Amino acid sequence: MAIIFLTSGLSIPRQKLFMHLLNWRLHCLVQVFSFIFVPALVLAVVHIILVGDPQGHIDRALLAGYIFTACIPTTIASNVVMTRSAGGDDAAALVEVVIANFLGPFITAAWTVTLLPGTAEFDPWRQASGDLSEMYKGVFKQLGLSALLPLVLGQLVRWAWPERTEHLMQKYRISKLGSACLLLMVWMTFSSCFATGALQALSVQSILFVVFFNIALYITLTAVCFCLSRPPKILSVNRFGLQYVFKRISPEETIAVCFCGPAKSTALGIPLLYAMWAPVDLYTKARTSVPVLLYTTEQICIAHFFVHALRRWHKKIDHKRDLESIDNRGTLPEMAASSAAGESLDHKNISSCADQSSYVR
């Protein structure tokens, strides 16, 4: 994670970072979606399952784990790498993940307990409350050492030697290190799934539900993020202030929102889960952690397909812009030539009239 943020600090101009720090529309779009819309959607699905599955075929620990997963912030490293690979604004993604992971430790714990269903099945998670002080200390230490410190160091190096840094980044393709580190993070997440023994403890129905629900959930959330970022033009009518509510953001920022909005973080999720429910037995905590582990793993796998899809969409938008600019450049000389021809014709008509008048005289 430190290598990913170091390469981001070396490659992103500081002007873009400062610009996105003041981008309140982008902050509201990503953070409200991540901390309010996603928990609301997952909570609705959990209540539907509780009504349709009174026999308890779906493990209730998984449902508690899904509510917790919906409340944790977006992932730290993969969003930046995916956004950069798809041609999006990686500075926007970088700012949003830092803000989300600062807010996450304070929002997630209280928000999860508030949203847990009031039935007796969820009493072990609702009544258990661990000491979060050590968790806060560990999370912010990890965030500072693995994200903020490498980012600041990279920015300082870029500020001191801008041209040389840019040359070395392009010559040795240092940004590719981020993709390699992302693969190691996927391997680490898979290892965690098997190390806890949680997967072996669940029924086949529960595992199938988690795997396919994660795929459907991530695709749905990505589609919603895209629609919120690029709403239909018919909604942007100049009436009742709708043009400000449904204003489209740039394609580069749209790509950043599509990767930051649906994603969830294992780096914060797992330490927070074990700290929140410290009095709960290890077996129950392991089962509760399965949605976090599998969702964060599957989101990276599915996001690779979205990288290619969004990259093609971005190229299509750029091609359309180029055609429009060429048309505009071509129209201006034609208009100038037409105007010049009109002026020449008018001049000839005036000269002809003057000659006729002279002849009459």
Side-chain angles (χ1 to χ4, degrees):
M1 193 182 301
I3 293 175
I4 291 174
F5 275 84
L6 178 61
T7 56
S8 297
L10 291 171
S11 59
I12 298 175
R14 64 181 183 278
Q15 293 85 355
K16 290 184 68 175
L17 291 176
F18 289 135
M19 179 186 70
H20 286 300
L21 281 173
L22 303 176
N23 193 343
W24 294 106
R25 180 180 176 81
L26 187 66
H27 299 335
C28 292
L29 184 59
V30 174
Q31 307 307 333
V32 170
F33 184 88
S34 182
F35 287 116
I36 296 180
F37 180 83
V38 178
L41 178 62
V42 171
L43 184 63
V45 174
V46 167
H47 280 286
I48 291 172
I49 293 172
L50 290 175
V51 172
D53 182 33
Q55 292 81 16
H57 294 300
I58 304 299
D59 197 318
R60 294 324 187 222
L62 294 180
L63 300 183
Y66 266 115
I67 294 175
F68 172 79
T69 303
C71 296
I72 60 179
T74 186
T75 188
I76 299 176
S78 61
N79 289 340
V80 180
V81 177
M82 298 291 186
T83 301
R84 186 186 302 126
S85 300
D89 194 335
D90 51 349
L94 188 61
V95 170
E96 294 308 316
V97 300
V98 171
I99 292 175
N101 282 270
F102 266 113
L103 296 176
F106 303 103
I107 294 177
T108 301
W111 197 214
T112 301
V113 175
T114 302
L115 295 180
L116 284 172
T119 59
E121 298 170 296
F122 294 90
D123 284 344
W125 296 276
R126 189 170 44 254
Q127 296 175 358
S129 57
D131 183 13
L132 299 182
S133 58
E134 289 298 321
M135 185 277 303
Y136 284 134
K137 189 184 301 182
V139 165
F140 284 115
K141 179 181 177 181
Q142 180 186 16
L143 186 63
L145 293 177
S146 62
L148 294 180
L149 183 60
L151 177 63
V152 171
L153 287 176
Q155 285 288 290
L156 290 175
V157 171
R158 185 181 177 88
W159 175 74
W161 303 282
E163 296 180 358
R164 186 168 181 80
T165 301
E166 188 68 27
H167 173 72
L168 292 175
M169 290 288 293
Q170 294 180 0
K171 181 179 180 180
Y172 296 104
R173 298 185 179 182
I174 297 177
S175 59
K176 295 293 183 182
L177 284 174
S179 300
C181 293
L182 186 60
L183 291 176
L184 290 175
M185 293 179 66
V186 174
W187 174 78
M188 181 186 67
T189 307
F190 267 114
S191 300
S192 301
C193 289
F194 291 100
T196 58
L199 292 177
Q200 298 89 324
L202 293 174
S203 64
V204 176
Q205 296 96 324
S206 296
I207 292 294
L208 291 176
F209 165 74
V210 171
V211 170
F212 290 105
F213 179 67
N214 287 343
I215 296 173
L217 180 62
Y218 187 82
I219 293 174
T220 301
L221 293 178
T222 304
V224 173
C225 282
F226 185 85
C227 293
L228 291 175
S229 303
R230 307 282 291 183
K233 290 184 178 180
I234 194 173
L235 297 176
S236 302
V237 293
N238 191 11
R239 185 168 43 182
F240 307 117
L242 293 178
Q243 71 274 18
Y244 300 107
V245 177
F246 296 104
K247 182 180 178 181
R248 287 185 169 189
I249 62 177
S250 68
E252 293 78 14
E253 290 180 353
T254 299
I255 294 174
V257 172
C258 287
F259 286 116
C260 292
K264 296 298 178 180
S265 172
T266 309
L268 176 64
I270 295 302
L272 182 57
L273 185 148
Y274 278 84
M276 278 177 58
W277 292 313
V280 178
D281 61 279
L282 183 61
Y283 174 68
T284 302
K285 284 187 288 191
R287 288 184 294 135
T288 309
S289 68
V290 168
V292 186
L293 293 170
L294 287 186
Y295 183 82
T296 53
T297 303
E298 289 182 70
Q299 77 185 6
I300 296 176
C301 299
I302 302 169
H304 276 92
F305 294 99
F306 281 111
V307 166
H308 299 291
L310 290 171
R311 185 191 296 147
R312 286 197 298 269
W313 170 75
H314 189 219
K315 288 181 178 179
K316 185 178 178 181
I317 294 290
D318 288 342
H319 182 65
K320 186 177 179 181
R321 286 175 179 172
D322 293 340
L323 291 178
E324 290 176 352
S325 63
I326 291 172
D327 290 340
N328 292 334
R329 286 197 299 268
T331 304
L332 290 176
E334 291 175 3
M335 292 176 62
S338 176
S339 177
E343 291 177 359
S344 176
L345 183 61
D346 291 341
H347 181 71
K348 289 180 179 180
N349 290 336
I350 292 171
S351 300
S352 177
C353 290
D355 293 341
Q356 291 179 4
S357 176
S358 174
Y359 177 77
V360 170
R361 287 198 299 272

